[in-house]
Amino acid sequence: EEQTKLVRSLIQAEVHQDALFRLGAATQTLLQSAVEETIWQSSYPRRPLAEIADAEWGAFRDGDWIETKDQSETGIRLLQLADIGTGTFLDQSSRFISDKTFDQLRCTEVLPGDLLIARMAEPIGRTCLIPELAGRAIAAVDCCIARIDLSQQSRLFWLLALNTPSWTAEVLKLSAGSTRVRISRSNLESIKVPCPSHEEQEHIVEALWSIQSSVSWIQSRKNQAHLLSSRILMGGWPDAR
């Protein structure tokens, strides 16, 4: 009887995960289609991506070259490519450096609200928004740190624009490498992107963000469903004796 209950629970969890996966895929497709049509297929003037950066902070910056010997058990978190999802911060990394190493290597601190752009690994160019973290953080060298000029730009607009097939296609045009394709920061900054006014960006975000919120909600439910399945499996089969 206990085995039957476990099997039923697993089946229900798998059906739930499958439904969420299909719903998530359909919603993500809807969002990308809307962003493509509203932003990338528009007549907005195109300018180099570097122009959206905060002038006081300067141009975009690469993450830091951190070797294994530079890492520590605790301290300042090292964000990596695994943390960058398509429009989502995945929160996967668990590597750190000390305050002393940060100062010695003159590392660049990543702040909440920065955009982190993946310079390699599929989909190349994917972008996430850094949330409030438990402590200070830096980024690995294959991550590009973009600090937006908020007086002229909407960070949520760029979070939408830099997670589309059109953006990925533009990034691939300037990428290089036979086995591990990557794009340099200078080439990334040079890509010309549609640049509506700040006011127009806000209107676009208002119109599209409800779909993005649905995508994020579905992703969180998928994670919960996966965790439930794992817990059921970890419970194991009851002793038949």
Side-chain angles (χ1 to χ4, degrees):
E1 183 180 350
E2 289 298 322
Q3 291 182 358
T4 301
K5 289 181 179 179
L6 180 59
V7 171
R8 286 177 179 171
S9 296
L10 282 170
I11 292 173
Q12 289 174 353
E14 288 179 1
V15 169
H16 186 51
Q17 284 189 75
D18 182 62
L20 286 171
F21 177 82
R22 286 185 280 108
L23 178 60
T27 308
Q28 185 67 48
T29 299
L30 174 62
L31 175 63
Q32 288 193 346
S33 297
V35 174
E36 288 280 353
E37 182 177 352
T38 306
I39 300 174
W40 286 94
Q41 296 174 18
S42 69
S43 58
Y44 294 124
R46 298 204 173 200
R47 300 188 179 92
L49 184 66
E51 293 188 11
I52 74 171
D54 186 333
E56 292 186 6
W57 193 65
F60 292 178
R61 302 186 189 183
D62 285 329
D64 295 291
W65 183 271
I66 305 296
E67 300 183 64
T68 303
K69 65 180 179 64
D70 299 319
Q71 298 175 24
S72 59
E73 293 296 322
T74 59
I76 298 171
R77 185 173 174 184
L78 173 62
L79 302 178
Q80 300 175 284
L81 289 172
D83 292 308
I84 308 176
T86 303
T88 305
F89 179 71
L90 299 178
D91 201 13
Q92 296 290 315
S93 64
S94 58
R95 297 187 181 186
F96 303 87
I97 65 167
S98 67
D99 290 343
K100 181 179 178 181
T101 298
F102 179 92
D103 292 334
Q104 287 178 337
L105 299 181
R106 298 181 180 180
C107 295
T108 299
E109 185 169 359
V110 177
L111 301 178
D114 285 346
L115 295 179
L116 212 56
I117 306 174
R119 295 199 295 106
M120 65 176 293
E122 295 183 4
I124 190 169
R126 67 192 183 281
T127 303
C128 73
L129 180 66
I130 300 301
E132 290 286 345
L133 300 173
R136 300 172 69 194
I138 63 171
V141 69
D142 286 315
C143 305
C144 178
I145 307 165
R147 193 160 296 167
I148 305 300
D149 180 0
L150 296 179
S151 68
Q152 301 294 326
Q153 310 290 336
S154 162
R155 62 164 66 102
L156 295 183
F157 171 85
W158 291 108
L159 186 63
L160 291 171
L162 303 184
N163 284 294
T164 59
S166 288
W167 165 249
T168 303
E170 293 296 324
V171 173
L172 285 171
K173 289 178 185 177
L174 297 178
S175 300
S178 55
T179 56
R180 303 186 72 185
V181 176
R182 58 162 48 88
I183 184 170
S184 68
R185 176 178 51 80
S186 58
N187 280 341
L188 189 72
E189 289 178 321
S190 72
I191 297 174
K192 292 188 175 181
V193 292
C195 289
S197 68
H198 191 193
E199 183 179 3
E200 288 174 309
Q201 289 181 22
E202 295 289 354
H203 287 322
I204 291 170
V205 168
E206 185 178 356
L208 298 180
W209 199 249
S210 60
I211 307 177
Q212 174 62 44
S213 298
S214 298
V215 171
S216 299
W217 180 83
I218 292 168
Q219 182 61 53
S220 68
R221 295 301 298 267
K222 284 166 63 177
N223 293 340
Q224 291 173 11
H226 178 72
L227 180 61
L228 176 61
S229 295
S230 298
R231 286 177 175 172
I232 293 172
L233 286 171
M234 288 176 65
W237 294 92
D239 194 336
R241 290 177 297 178

